[in-house]
Every structure is written in C-alpha cells, then in structure tokens.
Amino acid sequence: MQPAQLKRKSSWIAPRPQGQHRLVERGHREAEIGHIHAEQLVPDHEAKGYIVSVVGGYAATTDGMLLVTDRQSAAAGWVRRYLRPDDPVARALTWATMTSSLSKGVFYSVSVLFFTHVAGFAATTVGLGLTIAGAVAVAAALAAGYLARVVGARRVLLATTAGQGVALVAYLLVHTPAAFVVVACAAVGQQAMQRTALTTMIAESFTGPDRVEMRARLRVVTNAFIGVGTALAAVALVLDTKLAYLLAMLATGALLFVSALLLRRLGRSAERTATDRSRTAVVRQSPLRDRTYLAITGLYAVMSMQVGMLTVGVPLWVAGSTKAPPATIAALLALNTVIVSLLQVWAARGAKTIRSAGRAVAGAGTLLTLACGLYALSAYGTIAVVVVMLTLATVAHSLAEILSEAGSWTLAFELADPANVGAYQGVSQTGAALGSMLAPLVVTATALAHGWPGWILLGALFLLAGSLTMALVRRQVDGSLLSA
C-alpha cells in the first residue's frame, strides 16, 4: 500500500478527487498531519474512527484492518498481562505456574487410568492411598510455612517442585500398594508445600492489593494451562496403550523439572528485600495463637470444599441421579473453567480490603446455597429442564468460587503478622488442604447419600460459613478502629 493520509470516517464516504490531501477532522489529541503506512497501525493506535485515503484513489476504510488489529491487540494484551509481566518475580512465578499447570492437566487426565490399567492397582487401593496422602498434605502445608521462614520461600518452592517431579516419575516404578502410598504421600505432600511457599513468596514480594491480584492472575494461568494439559493428554487417551500412558506420566514429571528450572533462574537479587525483612524481624505473634486467624482458616476449609463438590460430587450426581447425558459433565466443568478464567481478576479487584473480602466470602456462601438448591432440583423434570438447572447451578457455583477465593486470599494476607508471613500462610493453606481432603467424604455423606435433603444441608453449611466469616471480619475491623 502507498503512503496514506489518516482521516476521520463519516457516515457516508464519497469518491475523493485525485491528488487531494487534507485532514477532514481532528479531534482532541489526534494527529494533525502526516502520512502513515498500513503496517504502522500499531495495536495501541486509537484509529477506529478513521479512514485511510490513498493518493489518486477512493477513500478506503480501515475497519477490516483494524478489526484484525483489535483482535491482535486483545490477544497481545492478555499475553502481556498474564504471561509476560514486567516484574521479574511475577514473570518467574507465571512461567513456572504455566509449566506446572500443564503437568497437572496431563496428570489429572491420565493418572487414574495409569494407576488402574497400567500399574494394576485396585480402585480402592488408589482411593485409600490418595486419602492418606491428603492427610499428609495438611501437615505438610503447615510445616512449609515455618520452613519458608528459615530457608526462604523461593528455596522451598524450588525444592518441592523438583521433588514432586521426582515423585511423579517414581510412580512408574511402583508395583506394591505400600510403595504407592509412600510415593503418593511424597507427591501430594510436596504439592501442598508448593502452595504454601507460593503464597508466602507472593506475600513477601508484593504489597497491598497487588498480592491478591497477582494471586488471581496466577489462578487464571493455572486454569488456562490445566486445560491445555488436558487437551494434550487426550493423545494418550485416544491411543489407550501402555506406552502412551507411560510417556504421559513421564511428561508430568519432566514439566515439573522445567518449572523448577524456571524458578532456579530467579536469582535472589531479583526478589524483594521484604523476604529478608520478614525472616529477620522479631515475630510478634504465632498463627497458632491467633484465634481470629485460626477461626477464619477453619471457615476457609469449609468454603474450600466447594471445589471438591464441583469436581467429585457434581459429576457423580449428574451421572447417577439426573436424566442429563454424560457429556453434560464435561460441559459444566468447561463452563466453570471459562467463568473462573474470565472473572477471577475482576473478583480480586473487588475484594482489596478486609471488609470487602468478608462481603465477598459471605456472598459466596449465599451463591453456594443457591447452587445447592439448583443441583437438588436437577433431579426432577425433563432432560432440557435438568440441563438448564445444572447450567444455572454451575454459573452460581463458579461465581461463588471466584468470590470465595478472592476474599479468602485478602484475609489470609491482610490478617497475617507481617513479621511471620510464612507461618501464617502455612496455616491458611492448611485450611485449603483440609477442605480438599474432607470434600469427597462430606459431599458423599450429604448430597449423594440423601438427595435433595443432603443438598439443602450442604447449602446451609456454606451459608453458615460465609456468614460467620463476615461476622469475624466485622469484629476484627471494629476492634481495630476502637484500638486506633
């Protein structure tokens, strides 16, 4: 394309006499005169309302060009915000999260089939082993917080990421139930330690609302790349051979080694000085003696059960108690992933203070109660009605998930003693691990065992947890104001 004159587009564009060069209209902060080439329409250019007029020809709009440019700009903006942040700590954590999430996506998709079809373990053995590993993870999450204070959160995160990679590869060598339990405890326990180390590192490296937003962005990356990993694992599922499953499991460990390498490249010089300050400062309070923090952590454990309710309870409910086709399960989980990926950062920005975080958790409890009611109603009606009920329930459930997580992150950060960050984050992540461990048992004993009365009881439990969290937050805020 020849050099082109930038012009304001009107509602009707007439042919322009050959050789005419003038600026039709100039708005505030717009270019006064000059020529541009088509390739100079950069993504940040505010050129939606312009036309490009070529010398000697007719006026031609840039709508088509700019539509493509806008899409490219949106994609580039997403990449910059989520995958290529400027901050060195944020960038290292993001890239490490990308690779570890790919590992999770592959592992979630093929692990059960590998354990039962390739390794030859009974489903009851797998279930018992993972339950024991979940209990170990509760203690490991707490211990990681204290360990992070001694050796540093980055080192704990690096060591446990590499260690979990070793454990996942070790699954390939396991042939007895006892060995399976040992390896499962090592894998699940170190994953829990990673979560504590990660939140500690975020708490030490960022301040104020930036910590919660960073946590939210990493959660978006996690969801997106777990989805990518799940898609990649489909190759092994389609091939359905022993070699395919072996290679897939080997890939889960290799991806964690890459994640550890990315963390290794983050030198201590790139970390904030807050890390050293938190480790050398005089500890004012232990989280195990902070009754408010312990109470909120316990309530967080209850709210965290909603994740297991979605990933374990809902699929079993849909398959065994409703008329919905099995494909509905995948569609509901995909809907949840989309909502969380699109709205988690938005939810985090609305829960930047202790009071707004309490409101977010209380709102999540109300939405979970609504979701439980809709899940209960999905047992009745035609297939179309059932699918609609399940869809509405999943939307409410997903909104509750992002509000609950955003509010809980802020409370975990803001109510912690700045001089003892690692121990406090260890306690907080213990609540999450406890919720993950108890969720299958609680959902099975309520909703799956008793139908709609069980769903109502489960909804009441979430509503109570959300309301009590808000009450504790109000007491904490009011007490702080009085003491001030």
Side-chain angles (χ1 to χ4, degrees), residues 3 78 83 111 198 234 237 292 300 380 475:
W78 192 93
L83 305 185
S111 58
L198 176 64
L237 297 175
T292 298
Y300 178 39
Y380 310 98
R475 190 180 71 175

Side-chain angles (χ1 to χ4, degrees), residues 141 145 196 199-200 203 293 412-413 416 420-430:
T196 297
T199 55
T200 301
Y293 202 88
F413 288 137
N420 201 10
V421 172
Y424 270 83
Q425 296 311 311
V427 168
S428 177
Q429 290 305 305
T430 298

Side-chain angles (χ1 to χ4, degrees), residues 308-319 329 332 375 390 397 455:
M309 185 176 82
L310 179 67
T311 58
V312 178
V314 171
L316 293 175
W317 173 258
V318 172
I329 298 173
L332 295 177
Y375 284 133
L390 289 172
H397 192 155
W455 280 115

Side-chain angles (χ1 to χ4, degrees), residues 5-280:
Q5 177 72 38
L6 194 63
K7 294 185 177 182
R8 172 72 67 179
K9 184 176 69 176
S10 61
S11 58
W12 177 80
I13 302 173
R16 180 181 49 76
Q18 183 174 359
Q20 181 178 350
H21 293 277
R22 63 187 181 89
L23 192 65
V24 176
E25 177 184 350
R26 184 174 69 84
H28 179 58
R29 299 176 65 183
E30 295 174 358
E32 294 185 6
I33 193 169
H35 290 79
I36 62 171
H37 288 83
E39 61 268 20
Q40 291 176 305
L41 289 175
V42 296
D44 293 334
H45 203 287
E46 299 176 2
K48 277 188 178 180
Y50 292 90
I51 61 173
V52 175
S53 56
V54 181
V55 176
Y58 292 92
T61 70
T62 62
D63 286 351
M65 240 189 326
L66 291 173
L67 180 60
V68 175
T69 301
D70 286 343
R71 291 175 179 172
Q72 292 174 342
S73 176
W78 192 93
V79 169
R80 283 196 302 272
R81 286 194 305 272
Y82 291 96
L83 305 185
R84 294 174 56 192
D86 294 330
D87 183 272
V89 176
R91 187 164 56 250
L93 293 180
T94 298
W95 291 355
T97 300
M98 286 165 52
T99 52
S100 64
S101 299
L102 284 173
S103 175
K104 288 186 180 73
V106 176
F107 183 81
Y108 292 158
S109 301
V110 305
S111 58
V112 173
L113 291 176
F114 172 81
F115 295 147
T116 56
H117 294 177
V118 178
F121 295 116
T124 53
T125 300
V126 175
L128 177 62
L130 295 178
T131 300
I132 295 174
V136 170
V138 175
L142 179 62
Y146 288 91
L147 185 61
R149 176 173 174 80
V150 176
V151 302
R154 184 185 69 92
R155 290 180 180 177
V156 175
L157 183 58
L158 172 60
T160 53
T161 300
Q164 190 193 9
V166 172
L168 293 184
V169 174
Y171 275 130
L172 303 178
L173 307 176
V174 168
H175 301 292
T176 65
F180 172 77
V181 172
V182 171
V183 174
C185 288
V188 178
Q190 289 185 96
Q191 186 177 42
M193 295 179 75
Q194 288 171 46
R195 287 194 291 267
T196 297
L198 176 64
T199 55
T200 301
M201 195 167 178
I202 292 173
E204 292 177 338
S205 301
F206 301 92
T207 59
D210 290 342
R211 295 180 296 193
V212 179
E213 183 153 339
M214 182 64 202
R215 192 78 171 82
R217 290 182 185 280
L218 290 180
R219 191 159 193 259
V220 171
V221 172
T222 297
N223 275 271
F225 281 86
I226 284 178
V228 175
T230 301
L232 294 174
V235 176
L237 297 175
V238 170
L239 294 176
D240 195 27
T241 63
K242 179 179 180 179
L243 178 60
Y245 290 125
L246 287 171
L247 291 176
M249 289 295 291
L250 187 62
T252 62
L255 285 167
L256 284 177
F257 295 145
V258 174
S259 181
L261 179 62
L262 292 169
L263 292 170
R264 178 68 180 83
R265 295 177 61 184
L266 175 62
R268 286 192 56 81
S269 60
E271 295 186 66
R272 301 288 196 270
T273 56
T275 302
D276 296 322
R277 287 202 307 268
S278 67
R279 289 169 57 192
T280 57

